[in-house]
């Protein structure tokens, strides 16, 4: 009888090759910057949305950008169910594409946080009187705009800190000069975002303090 062959133990899994400089994260790649850019863009967009709800002397359709209407079993942006027109510095008329939605539109407008509006339904339209803010109210709104900007700058600094942390973790095998250059580039992006935040706030405060007759 032929002898039975002993079963082998099988091949052992090969050990992972040690990381090399070729495996290092490219700190100058767009992918590395993506979280920072997305965070800064979101911060600025949130500030713009907040500032639009602050009305001083100006009246424009942007006041209603954040308005959502309960329509057809879902919440719809106001712009998809109606047209907003500024009739005068103290009156806005909202024409509903479907006249039956006028009550729902009026409720949505009344619920816009921070504006305190009292809309009236007139046929298929919603008429929105816009009261003129007092000097004290304009001052409070300007202060609120500044506070919103400071909060946005704080979030921008947090994004810078996170980017610096990612850079620190990815700096193995990267020259000190490259790390310093990347850190400077990160700071520059955040500084540019901060300048835009300041500009947005300054423009809003100017609009708030300007009384239109």
């Amino acid at each position: 009888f032929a002898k039975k062959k002993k079963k082998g133990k099988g091949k052992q899994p090969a050990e992972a090759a040690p990381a090399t400089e070729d495996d290092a994260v490219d700190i100058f790649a767009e992918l590395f910057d993506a979280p920072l850019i997305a965070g800064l863009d979101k911060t600025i967009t949130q500030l713009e949305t907040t500032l639009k709800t602050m009305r001083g002397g100006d009246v424009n359709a942007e006041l209603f950008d954040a308005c959502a209407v309960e329509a057809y079993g879902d919440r719809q942006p106001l712009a998809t169910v109606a047209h907003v027109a500024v009739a005068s510095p103290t009156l806005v008329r909202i024409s509903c594409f479907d006249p039956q939605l006028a009550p729902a539109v009026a409720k949505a407008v009344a619920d816009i946080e921070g504006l305190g509006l009292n809309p009236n339904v007139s046929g298929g339209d919603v008429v929105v009187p816009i009261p003129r803010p007092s000097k004290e109210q304009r001052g409070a709104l300007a202060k609120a705009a500044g506070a919103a900007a400071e909060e946005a700058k704080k979030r921008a600094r947090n994004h810078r800190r996170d980017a610096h942390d990612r850079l620190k973790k990815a700096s193995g095998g990267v020259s000190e000069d490259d790390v310093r250059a990347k850190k400077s580039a990160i700071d520059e992006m955040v500084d540019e975002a901060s300048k835009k935040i300041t500009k947005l706030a300054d423009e809003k405060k100017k609009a708030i303090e300007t009384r239109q007759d």
Side-chain angles (χ1 to χ4, degrees), residues 8 19 22 30 33 36-37 57-58 67 75 77-78 90 98 108 112 116 118 121 126 157 163 167-168 176 192 197 203:
D22 292 335
E30 291 183 4
D33 290 334
L36 175 61
I37 294 172
D58 61 327
C67 184
R75 289 179 65 79
L78 177 60
T90 58
D98 180 353
I112 299 176
N118 294 299
V121 176
V126 176
R157 291 194 294 270
L167 177 60
K168 186 177 180 179
E176 291 183 3
E192 284 300 314
I197 289 169
E203 289 174 347

Side-chain angles (χ1 to χ4, degrees), residues 8-14:
K9 294 182 180 179
K11 293 183 178 180
Q12 298 296 321

Side-chain angles (χ1 to χ4, degrees), residues 44-191:
I44 290 172
T45 299
Q46 288 175 334
L47 176 62
E48 289 174 331
T49 300
T50 298
L51 294 178
K52 283 178 181 178
T53 65
M54 298 180 182
R55 185 185 66 83
D58 61 327
V59 178
N60 54 63
E62 289 183 350
L63 288 173
F64 304 90
D65 281 357
C67 184
V69 182
E70 290 289 346
Y72 311 118
D74 199 4
R75 289 179 65 79
Q76 309 280 348
L78 177 60
T80 66
V81 298
H83 172 70
V84 179
V86 178
S88 75
T90 58
L91 186 69
V92 170
R93 182 174 292 275
I94 302 176
S95 301
C96 302
F97 304 142
D98 180 353
Q100 293 184 353
L101 290 179
V105 169
K107 183 180 184 305
V109 170
D111 290 343
I112 299 176
E113 187 176 356
L115 292 185
L117 301 176
N118 294 299
N120 301 305
V121 176
S122 176
D125 292 349
V126 176
V127 179
V128 189
I130 307 293
R132 291 188 182 279
S134 66
K135 182 178 180 180
E136 291 75 17
Q137 289 173 324
R138 291 199 302 272
L141 284 170
K143 186 176 180 179
E150 288 304 314
E151 182 61 29
K153 289 180 181 179
K154 180 180 177 180
R155 290 197 295 270
R157 291 194 294 270
N158 288 340
H159 290 309
R160 168 161 45 197
R161 180 200 61 208
D162 292 343
H164 283 175
D165 288 345
R166 288 195 302 274
L167 177 60
K168 186 177 180 179
K169 293 176 181 178
S171 59
V174 182
S175 72
E176 291 183 3
D177 287 344
D178 281 348
V179 172
R180 280 195 295 269
K182 186 60 184 181
K183 187 175 181 180
S184 177
I186 290 171
D187 292 344
E188 185 176 342
M189 281 190 280
V190 175
D191 289 345

